């Protein structure tokens, strides 16, 4: 990449961050988030429409199909800013569906999905902690975030040796939802026998790539959350007094804060390196290794940083009224989405070119 191209890319990412800040202030209060907790569907449909109008759902969709045609660097920057604000809208899941509809040639409700008018969720998961989509036609589909707000679902279904894609309206499935630790909801759906409208006969490769990208973007969301929680903790350490001294002057607490800062920095480096590699066109095992390195680190670091942030706040950190705890709750829910740290460590060891056979 030339210097001019690098500058253009940096400017594009800066503009994405600025647009996110206009909708979800990165250091604003969390009253909106608190008001949505444990209230079906768990997010604000009007906010999702606004995200669609700003082009976020179609950020990775080619311009010819109505998207922005931008890279993972921009998508990860956007997710990071949303993570700082704990935005509950299922943007990552909507973007995954948009990529599949784009791979299907723009069939189905792509335009409505990109605008935020409709919410299509891809029901690919049949068991816990996996990135594999078996596509068993009659299988119950699990762990669909904010499924109560979906207008329809995309169903990957294996027909012969290929993974076909079908679209089914929400009214045609049996849906059950359960609350999550952060105040959102996960859905379980039972598909109809006819599987709905066929959109594509072979979506397997596109789904594999889209799931990897969703894992990386989820890692970026976790990075934004842990960074905000750490910033809140530093502010607390600089102002809270104990025994007549600012507690941030205590050496033991300084050491703990330094360790957390290192975790945040390493997570950022891993995510940015993975996004740059995928945008440069890396394929195969090297692609999977880059994603798994980033997701494993983000999953573990987000839980470590948010837990330590609560501890460093002392007793007030454990109260539900204090905002820092919301970041731990979010990390507890997202750490395992699109693969846990354990899954991604195993995959990294299996595919990493740095590991000798």
């Amino acid at each position: 990449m030339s210097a001019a191209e690098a500058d253009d890319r940096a400017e594009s990412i800066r503009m994405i961050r600025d647009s996110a800040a206009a909708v979800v202030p990165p250091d604003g209060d969390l009253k909106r988030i608190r008001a949505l907790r444990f209230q079906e569907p768990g997010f604000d449909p009007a906010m999702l429409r606004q995200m669609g109008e700003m082009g976020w759902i179609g950020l990775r969709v080619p311009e010819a199909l109505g998207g922005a045609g931008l890279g993972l660097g921009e998508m990860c920057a956007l997710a990071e800013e949303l993570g700082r604000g704990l935005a509950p809208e299922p943007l990552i899941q909507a973007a995954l569906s948009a990529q599949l509809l784009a791979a299907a040639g723009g069939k189905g409700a792509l335009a409505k999905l990109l605008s935020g008018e409709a919410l299509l969720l891809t029901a690919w998961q049949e068991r816990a902690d996996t990135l594999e989509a078996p596509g068993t036609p009659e299988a119950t589909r699990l762990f669909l975030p904010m499924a109560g707000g979906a207008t329809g679902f995309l169903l990957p279904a294996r027909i012969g040796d290929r993974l076909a894609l079908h679209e089914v309206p929400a009214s045609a499935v049996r849906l059950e939802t359960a609350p999550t630790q952060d105040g959102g909801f996960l859905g379980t759906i039972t598909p109809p026998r006819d599987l709905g409208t066929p959109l594509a006969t072979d979506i397997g490769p596109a789904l594999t790539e889209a799931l990897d990208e969703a894992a990386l973007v989820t890692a970026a969301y976790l990075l934004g959350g842990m960074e905000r929680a750490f910033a809140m903790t530093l502010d607390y350490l600089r102002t809270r007094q104990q025994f007549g001294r600012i507690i941030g002057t205590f050496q033991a607490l300084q050491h703990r804060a330094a360790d957390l800062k290192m975790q945040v920095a390493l997570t950022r480096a891993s995510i940015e390196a993975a996004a740059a590699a995928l945008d440069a066109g890396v394929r195969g095992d090297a692609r999977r290794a880059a994603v798994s390195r980033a997701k494993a680190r983000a999953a573990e670091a987000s839980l470590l940083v948010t837990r330590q942030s609560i501890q460093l706040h002392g007793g007030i950190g454990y109260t539900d009224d204090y905002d820092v705890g919301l970041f731990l709750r979010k990390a507890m829910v997202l750490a395992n989405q699109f693969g846990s740290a354990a899954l991604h460590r195993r995959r990294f060891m299996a595919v990493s070119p740095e590991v000798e056979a």
Side-chain angles (χ1 to χ4, degrees):
M1 183 184 293
S2 67
E5 289 174 332
D7 288 343
D8 289 344
R9 190 65 186 280
E11 177 64 14
S12 176
I13 291 174
R14 185 194 65 77
M15 291 175 65
I16 286 291
R17 292 187 185 278
D18 288 347
S19 70
V23 176
V24 184
D27 297 311
D29 67 57
L30 299 176
K31 291 180 180 178
R32 183 180 83 90
I33 309 307
R34 289 186 174 278
L36 291 169
R37 288 202 304 166
F38 304 114
Q39 304 295 318
E40 289 271 16
F43 69 96
D44 182 1
M47 177 62 77
L48 186 65
R49 285 195 296 273
Q50 186 174 355
M51 291 177 175
E53 291 167 359
M54 297 187 73
W56 294 355
I57 296 173
L59 205 68
R60 296 282 295 135
V61 172
E63 291 183 72
L65 293 175
L70 297 178
L72 274 165
E74 287 86 351
M75 191 68 187
C76 285
L78 172 61
E80 183 187 335
E81 295 304 314
L82 297 182
R84 289 182 63 87
L86 292 180
E89 284 69 30
L91 177 70
I92 297 173
Q93 288 74 21
L96 187 156
S97 295
Q99 285 183 261
L100 295 186
L101 289 176
K107 296 179 181 178
L110 179 58
K112 289 185 176 181
L113 174 62
L114 294 183
S115 68
E117 182 181 346
L119 173 59
L120 290 174
L121 298 178
T122 301
W124 61 276
Q125 196 166 357
E126 298 177 26
R127 62 179 177 84
D129 200 15
T130 181
L131 274 180
E132 301 295 329
T136 309
E138 69 280 4
T140 297
R141 310 303 173 90
L142 310 172
F143 309 119
L144 283 159
M146 311 304 184
T151 56
F153 299 93
L154 299 181
L155 297 175
R158 191 161 299 281
I159 301 176
D161 60 350
R162 295 184 176 184
L163 198 64
L165 186 68
H166 297 254
E167 180 183 345
V168 58
S171 59
V173 305
R174 188 170 79 242
L175 170 66
E176 298 176 0
T177 62
T180 54
Q181 183 68 237
D182 64 339
F185 296 86
L186 288 178
T188 299
I189 70 166
T190 303
R193 290 189 177 184
D194 64 2
L195 296 180
T197 305
L199 301 179
T201 59
D202 188 8
I203 205 70
L207 179 57
T208 297
E209 290 197 0
L211 290 176
D212 271 347
E213 291 192 12
L216 180 58
V217 177
T218 299
Y221 188 108
L222 287 168
L223 169 62
M226 75 172 90
E227 203 164 40
R228 173 86 182 272
F230 180 59
M232 293 171 64
T233 303
L234 289 182
D235 287 342
Y236 184 80
L237 294 178
R238 290 172 182 139
T239 56
R240 177 75 167 91
Q241 291 193 25
Q242 195 170 27
F243 307 117
R245 294 175 57 189
I246 299 294
I247 62 174
T249 63
F250 298 160
Q251 192 173 59
L253 299 186
Q254 290 176 352
H255 288 169
R256 290 175 67 180
D259 288 342
L260 298 184
K261 183 176 182 178
M262 184 177 298
Q263 290 294 326
V264 173
L266 289 173
T267 302
R268 173 175 295 283
S270 184
I271 291 169
E272 290 182 350
L278 269 61
D279 283 339
V282 67
R283 311 292 296 177
D285 285 351
R287 174 190 174 95
R288 289 186 284 274
V291 170
S292 285
R293 180 194 292 114
K295 182 57 166 62
R297 178 169 289 282
E300 291 190 331
S302 62
L303 290 172
L304 173 64
V305 171
T306 52
R307 283 172 175 155
Q308 289 287 317
S309 294
I310 287 176
Q311 290 183 14
L312 288 169
H313 274 83
I316 193 174
Y318 288 88
T319 64
D320 188 64
D321 290 340
Y322 198 76
D323 284 345
V324 74
L326 298 179
F327 293 90
L328 172 59
R329 291 176 180 271
K330 181 65 74 174
M332 291 170 67
V333 172
L334 291 187
N336 290 339
Q337 278 190 12
F338 300 107
S340 67
L343 180 147
H344 282 286
R345 281 198 304 270
R346 290 195 302 270
R347 193 174 79 152
F348 178 81
M349 292 298 294
V351 304
S352 174
E354 301 170 8
V355 178
E356 295 183 1

